[in-house]
């Protein structure tokens, strides 16, 4: 078994610099706050720059299929920076979840290769029609949508992230031949025949949630039953593993911003960061971040190398990084005092994203339980 590489390569550092520069210019906190008050599901101009002009939408897709032929390591770097900016773009839902699900199907078939190429080139946005809370492991989740023999879909799926504004919906459904993965071409999904996108009120205003209603919606069967289950399972595993990098970036911003504030905010004639109690809190958080970075990088490296350790690495990363992100965001709000409680300060965006991410793709408790089973660790008795 090879030793995981937790360090960043020169190419990954260059990618980070490019993405961070773009986000600093196009996605400052003021822009994110303004976007949170709008009805747009995401920032289309920012997404075009990130996905099309920089080519990050196709990092996980091979060159021959229209992508960049990179790995989960590079995608993790992008997600770190998106987490630092709580950027309102559908990267996790489209470039990771939807793209990975399509990669699990037969890419030699035109009905799979065409939408995959569109996602990889940033010409379309995709969404996997499952609740964002769905955890990986234990086989593919049960379908709440049914398919007729002609492929028409009927049913409802709630809590779907990235569905608003999506062009391609990938829908697990039970059909005459069993479980399958279906594609609904839903450019401007709300106007697609038989498809209704019902906006829900999310905690995280930068990642909208929707309920999808299908009423004899035309669809194309992409895979099934075994291949569909495997494709959906791989997508959820990749999403959970890379979500840890988003949580890492979010936590890093919170600590950096808190330290900056502690140096500048004076009380009793001295910076509040000089008080020993606050030093200890920030030092403890820094130690948590170091461990979180190791866990997130391990998960990304395992996914990139298709290691047999993927389930363990992902479970460890999600069980740990989710809690660190929430803790960092809570400390950011608390140590900013009254300022941290205001709408004008972006701290609340990071706390809401952290809490939303904590239950996305499996809660920390769910991942700890999965980890116990993977390493044959019995639960406590009594």
């Amino acid at each position: 078994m090879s030793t995981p590489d937790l360090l960043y390569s020169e190419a990954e550092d260059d990618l980070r610099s490019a993405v961070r520069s773009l986000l600093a210019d196009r996605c400052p906190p003021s822009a994110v706050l303004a976007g949170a008050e709008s009805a747009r599901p995401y920032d289309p101009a920012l997404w075009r720059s990130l996905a099309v002009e920089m080519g990050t939408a196709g990092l996980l897709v091979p060159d021959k299929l229209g992508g960049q032929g990179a790995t989960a390591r590079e995608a993790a770097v992008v997600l770190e920076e998106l987490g630092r900016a709580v950027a309102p773009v559908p990267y996790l839902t489209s470039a990771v979840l939807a793209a990975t699900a399509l990669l699990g199907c037969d890419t030699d078939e035109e009905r799979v290769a065409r939408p995959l190429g569109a996602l990889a080139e940033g010409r379309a946005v995709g969404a996997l029609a499952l609740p964002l809370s769905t955890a990986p492991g234990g086989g593919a989740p049960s379908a709440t949508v049914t398919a007729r023999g002609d492929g028409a879909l009927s049913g409802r799926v709630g809590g779907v992230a990235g569905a608003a504004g999506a062009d391609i919906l990938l829908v697990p459904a039970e059909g005459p031949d069993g479980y399958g993965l279906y594609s609904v071409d839903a450019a401007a999904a709300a106007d697609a025949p038989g498809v209704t996108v019902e906006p829900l009120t999310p905690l995280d205003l930068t990642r909208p949630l929707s309920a999808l209603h299908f009423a004899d919606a035309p669809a194309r069967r992409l895979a099934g039953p075994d291949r569909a289950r495997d494709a959906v399972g791989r997508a959820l595993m990749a999403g959970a593993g890379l979500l840890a990098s988003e949580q890492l970036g979010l936590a890093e911003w919170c600590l950096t911003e808190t330290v900056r504030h502690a140096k500048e905010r004076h009380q009793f004639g001295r910076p509040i960061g000089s008080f020993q109690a606050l030093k200890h809190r920030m030092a403890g958080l820094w130690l948590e971040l170091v461990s979180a970075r190791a866990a997130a990088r391990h998960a990304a490296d395992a996914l990139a190398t298709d290691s047999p350790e993927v389930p363990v690495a992902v479970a460890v990363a999600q069980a740990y990084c989710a809690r660190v992100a929430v803790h960092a965001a809570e400390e950011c709000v608390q140590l900013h005092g009254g300022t941290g409680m205001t709408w004008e300060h972006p701290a609340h965006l990071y706390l809401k994203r952290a809490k939303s991410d904590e239950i996305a793709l499996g809660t920390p408790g769910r991942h700890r339980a999965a980890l116990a089973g993977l390493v044959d660790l019995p639960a406590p008795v009594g």
Side-chain angles (χ1 to χ4, degrees):
M1 186 180 299
S2 61
T3 302
D5 181 4
L6 306 185
L7 301 179
Y8 297 99
S9 68
E10 183 177 351
E12 290 164 5
D13 286 335
D14 290 343
L15 176 61
R16 178 191 306 282
S17 297
V19 174
R20 184 175 296 187
S21 177
L22 171 68
L23 295 174
D25 180 53
R26 304 283 294 278
C27 191
S30 58
V32 179
L33 284 166
E37 297 179 297
S38 73
R40 298 183 307 179
Y42 61 89
D43 184 336
L46 176 61
W47 176 246
R48 189 179 310 109
S49 298
L50 181 72
V52 181
E53 297 171 12
M54 294 189 66
T56 61
L59 287 176
L60 297 179
V61 181
D63 298 345
K64 65 179 182 179
L65 297 173
Q68 304 300 318
T71 70
R73 291 176 59 93
E74 289 78 16
V77 169
V78 174
L79 279 163
E80 281 185 42
E81 294 307 310
L82 295 177
R84 288 179 65 93
V86 285
V89 292
Y91 192 85
L92 178 70
T93 52
S94 182
V96 177
L97 289 171
T100 305
L102 285 172
L103 285 169
C105 302
D106 186 354
T107 56
D108 289 333
E109 295 186 3
E110 189 273 340
R111 59 183 176 178
V112 175
R114 180 182 56 79
L116 180 59
L119 296 188
E121 295 170 8
R123 293 184 284 108
V125 173
L128 181 61
L130 286 173
L132 183 59
S133 59
T134 306
S142 301
T144 58
V145 177
T146 58
R148 294 198 316 235
D150 60 0
L153 303 181
S154 296
R156 179 187 183 277
V157 187
V160 180
D167 306 296
I168 301 169
L169 300 175
L170 302 178
V171 188
E174 287 287 348
D177 298 322
Y179 193 88
L181 184 64
Y182 294 77
S183 172
V184 175
D185 292 326
D191 299 326
V195 180
T196 302
V197 180
E198 176 193 354
L200 303 177
T201 302
L203 174 63
D204 176 12
L205 298 177
T206 65
R207 180 170 284 155
L209 299 178
S210 306
L212 295 176
H213 301 266
F214 300 97
D216 294 332
R220 305 181 72 181
R221 191 168 186 264
L222 302 178
D226 293 339
R227 190 154 199 170
R229 293 184 183 278
D230 182 65
V232 172
R234 288 174 66 90
L236 293 173
M237 188 67 73
L242 292 177
L243 178 62
S245 291
E246 177 179 288
Q247 292 163 331
L248 170 63
L250 184 156
E252 287 180 333
W253 184 92
C254 290
L255 177 59
T256 300
E257 175 62 19
T258 303
V259 171
R260 182 202 62 76
H261 175 76
K263 290 179 178 179
E264 296 178 358
R265 177 76 169 89
H266 282 66
Q267 199 169 48
F268 306 112
R270 55 190 291 192
I272 62 172
S274 64
F275 300 136
Q276 189 176 45
L278 299 191
K279 285 182 180 180
H280 287 175
R281 288 171 69 171
M282 289 183 280
L285 186 55
W286 181 82
L287 291 174
E288 291 181 19
L289 277 176
V290 173
S291 297
R293 182 177 297 109
R297 292 301 294 168
H298 183 202
D301 185 71
L303 288 165
T305 57
D306 199 21
S307 166
E309 290 292 308
V310 164
V312 171
V314 169
V316 169
Q318 268 307 302
Y320 190 75
C321 293
R323 290 296 177 86
V324 171
V326 172
H327 183 208
E330 290 173 341
E331 291 287 76
C332 183
V333 171
Q334 292 178 16
L335 296 184
H336 273 77
T339 302
M341 302 294 179
T342 64
W343 176 269
E344 290 74 19
H345 195 280
H348 67 94
L349 294 175
Y350 289 83
L351 179 58
K352 291 169 183 174
R353 173 67 70 88
K355 291 297 290 184
S356 176
D357 281 357
E358 186 181 27
I359 61 174
L361 299 167
T363 63
R366 166 68 176 76
H367 286 285
R368 285 195 297 271
L371 179 62
L374 290 167
V375 299
D376 195 24
L377 181 66
V381 178

